[in-house]
Amino acid sequence: MDKKIFSLLCAVLCSFIWGTGFIAQDMGMDFIGPLTFSAGRLILGFLFLLPIFFVFELKKIKKANFDVKKIFIYFIFISFMLSYGNCLQQYALLYTDVANAAIYTILYVVIVPILAYFFFSKKTHWSVWPAILICIIGGFLLTEMDNVVVRLGDGIAVINAFFWAFHIVFISRFLRIFNFPITIATFQCLIASAFALVPALIFENIIFSNILLEWKELMYAGVLSSGLAFLLQIYAQQNLNPAPVAIIFTLEGVWAAIFGWIILDQYLNEIKIFGITLILGAVIFSQLTTIYDKKKHG
């Protein structure tokens, strides 16, 4: 299979798991706090990926030569962004519904190309900009501007988008100097879980019996939405540039809104459905125009 097609499929599947994962995240805070949930899912993600790391990449890592200090700095940075991106996402879900939290999270699609250009002078295809504009319009159609509490959750989700944008951009850069996707996915989850666990121990009352009451939600968010999806994210970014891959990831907002409606009865009216359609159209547009230009101009 062509490497770019493989990465494209990884990105689409990743967006589906992330989108449906919002349901587990929303339902998983009845008995535990957002920091505890974030730490728990990241630990489970690490435990899921660890055997895969031992089987497929441990020997390669031992043979490789790399700058340990530089790799360590990258791990700390991307793990910090991953951890508090997760934590802020959980806090947003306390105040707003699944669709809004997901849609405002995917505003990273606006931030990613700016960061990529600012830090690494990474130019983007012209189709990214109209696609971003369409995504923003679609996102605003999904919110409820007359609800103050919902707007608080939306605001947290917007801040959260910056963390995910930095994570996406620097994962792409990290892969250029350390092309070990399983290793990155595994140990970013471990370090990120520590970043979430420390404030959870300080600000939340962690009771193991309460954690067990949320085991189904934690397993989905941990094993699938953290472990598997973060691995798919990194495989997607191996062969796709940050800006177009971010547009594909915005499909998580579409999936979250649809499954929030189906499972949680978080109603979608005609305007919100139109917003979802715009986002989906933007993703398809950005990919088809790139393919067309390559065929036309080589």
Side-chain angles (χ1 to χ4, degrees):
M1 183 184 291
D2 181 80
K3 289 182 178 180
K4 287 199 173 182
I5 293 175
F6 174 72
S7 290
L8 180 63
L9 292 173
C10 285
V12 172
L13 181 56
C14 176
S15 72
F16 176 79
I17 297 173
W18 277 347
T20 54
F22 271 93
I23 310 302
Q25 291 173 242
D26 188 59
M27 297 172 65
M29 293 187 290
D30 292 335
F31 303 99
I32 60 177
L35 294 170
T36 303
F37 187 92
S38 297
R41 68 174 288 192
L42 289 164
I43 290 170
L44 287 171
F46 165 71
L47 293 174
F48 168 76
L49 290 167
L50 189 60
I52 303 173
F53 162 74
F54 281 129
V55 173
F56 292 103
E57 281 192 355
L58 179 59
K59 290 182 179 179
K60 296 178 183 178
I61 291 290
K62 288 180 178 179
K63 295 178 181 178
N65 293 316
F66 46 79
D67 186 337
V68 176
K69 183 179 178 181
K70 191 173 185 179
I71 300 303
F72 177 76
I73 292 171
Y74 264 97
F75 262 120
I76 293 298
F77 183 77
I78 64 170
S79 300
F80 178 85
M81 293 299 164
L82 175 66
S83 180
Y84 292 111
N86 273 290
C87 292
L88 286 170
Q89 201 172 76
Q90 289 301 129
Y91 272 108
L93 285 166
L94 291 175
Y95 303 105
T96 190
D97 61 25
V98 164
N100 285 34
I103 291 301
Y104 279 101
T105 293
I106 64 172
L107 285 178
Y108 57 64
V109 73
V110 182
I111 307 164
V112 162
I114 297 171
L115 292 179
Y117 182 78
F118 181 80
F119 284 101
F120 307 116
S121 299
K122 190 73 177 177
K123 293 182 179 180
T124 58
H125 190 266
W126 67 267
S127 63
V128 166
W129 302 108
I132 287 172
L133 178 60
I134 296 168
C135 284
I136 294 172
I137 295 170
F140 277 113
L141 291 176
L142 277 163
T143 193
E144 299 174 27
M145 296 305 292
D146 58 340
N147 190 320
V148 175
V149 175
V150 169
R151 288 208 306 271
L152 172 61
D154 293 346
I156 295 171
V158 170
I159 297 171
N160 160 55
F162 282 87
F163 284 80
W164 290 113
F166 273 98
H167 186 258
I168 289 170
V169 169
F170 279 86
I171 282 288
S172 289
R173 179 56 52 164
F174 194 16
L175 282 166
R176 292 194 173 198
I177 62 171
F178 188 76
N179 192 18
F180 296 97
I182 299 171
T183 306
I184 294 173
T186 303
F187 291 99
Q188 71 167 359
C189 282
L190 175 63
I191 300 169
S193 67
F195 276 123
L197 184 59
V198 171
L201 291 169
I202 297 171
F203 298 110
E204 295 178 357
N205 187 21
I206 300 178
I207 302 171
F208 187 69
S209 59
N210 287 353
I211 295 175
L212 289 178
L213 293 173
E214 308 285 7
W215 73 270
K216 292 179 182 178
E217 291 79 8
L218 279 168
M219 286 297 290
Y220 192 96
V223 173
L224 293 180
S225 193
S226 292
L228 179 58
F230 289 147
L231 181 58
L232 289 170
Q233 175 203 351
I234 295 169
Y235 275 124
Q237 291 190 236
Q238 270 191 314
N239 304 295
L240 298 173
N241 290 328
V245 82
I247 292 175
I248 300 169
F249 288 154
T250 60
L251 285 172
E252 69 172 299
V254 174
W255 296 120
I258 292 170
F259 281 89
W261 185 11
I262 295 170
I263 298 173
L264 301 177
D265 293 324
Q266 294 180 352
Y267 179 67
L268 294 176
N269 56 30
E270 292 81 358
I271 294 175
K272 290 189 175 185
I273 292 172
F274 181 59
I276 290 172
T277 305
L278 284 178
I279 294 170
L280 184 58
V283 173
I284 295 170
F285 168 77
S286 68
Q287 296 307 308
L288 290 181
T289 49
T290 305
I291 293 169
Y292 175 77
D293 279 358
K294 284 183 178 178
K295 286 184 176 180
K296 185 177 179 181
H297 303 293

